[in-house]
């Protein structure tokens, strides 16, 4: 019995994988710009204080880099952390500027990282499943 290989005319390239990589790259860039803006904002607020308070303000603003770098390495888990950060920021702050500057981007970026990270893992699973299916088909012969 002859092995049936898929018809090359019917095969479609996996464009969604490239779009997922591009989306993750864009989310990473936006998240780094957002974190840099947040650090610059906190530094500008405490700039005229004595050096202890300035250092403390810049360090507290730099904490936002932790979930951003976590989302860079682990998009799904980091996305969940960013969504949680955004929700906590919404519950903590009464100021509309803080909500718009911290909560909304946190939830938006977290949801994007979560969606794109899940999509990437699904595509890896789908590619692995197809490879196993082709290997089993070829192994039968």
């Amino acid at each position: 019995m002859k092995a049936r290989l898929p018809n090359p005319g019917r095969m479609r390239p996996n464009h969604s994988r490239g779009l997922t990589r591009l989306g993750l790259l864009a989310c990473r860039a936006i998240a780094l710009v957002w974190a840099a803006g947040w650090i610059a904002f906190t530094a500008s607020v405490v700039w005229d204080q004595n050096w202890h308070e300035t250092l403390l303000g810049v360090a507290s603003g730099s904490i936002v880099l932790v979930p951003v770098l976590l989302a860079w390495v682990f998009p799904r888990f980091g996305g969940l952390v960013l969504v949680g950060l955004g929700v906590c920021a919404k519950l903590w702050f009464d100021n509309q500027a803080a909500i718009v500057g911290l909560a909304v981007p946190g939830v938006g970026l977290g949801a994007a990282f979560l969606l794109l990270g899940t999509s990437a893992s699904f595509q890896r699973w789908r590619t692995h499943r197809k490879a196993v299916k082709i290997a089993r088909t070829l192994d039968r012969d």
Side-chain angles (χ1 to χ4, degrees):
M1 189 168 198
K2 190 175 182 182
R4 286 182 56 196
L5 294 175
N7 184 359
R10 286 185 28 197
M11 293 180 69
R12 293 179 300 268
N14 193 357
H15 292 296
S16 59
R17 176 170 290 175
L19 291 176
T20 300
R21 282 189 185 151
L22 183 64
L24 278 173
L25 183 66
C27 281
R28 288 171 177 162
I30 292 169
L32 284 178
V33 168
W34 171 64
W38 188 252
I39 293 168
F41 171 73
T42 56
S44 71
V45 168
V46 296
W47 190 257
D48 291 333
Q49 308 299 325
N50 60 17
W51 70 273
H52 292 90
E53 293 175 2
T54 303
L55 185 64
L56 182 64
V58 172
S60 66
S62 300
I63 290 175
V64 79
L65 277 176
V66 173
V68 167
L69 293 177
L70 191 64
W72 185 291
V73 178
F74 307 106
R76 286 184 289 173
F77 181 68
L80 284 175
V81 170
L82 278 171
V83 168
L85 173 74
V87 169
C88 288
K90 167 66 173 101
L91 296 175
W92 184 265
F93 295 118
D94 282 338
N95 188 355
Q96 290 291 347
I99 291 172
V100 170
L102 189 61
V104 174
V107 171
L109 285 169
F113 273 115
L114 186 62
L115 177 71
L116 290 170
T118 304
S119 176
S121 64
F122 171 73
Q123 289 167 7
R124 283 191 301 273
W125 172 79
R126 186 179 68 185
T127 303
H128 176 72
R129 188 189 71 187
K130 285 181 179 181
V132 167
K133 189 175 181 180
I134 290 172
R136 286 183 181 160
T137 304
L138 294 175
D139 194 35
R140 288 185 200 156
D141 295 332

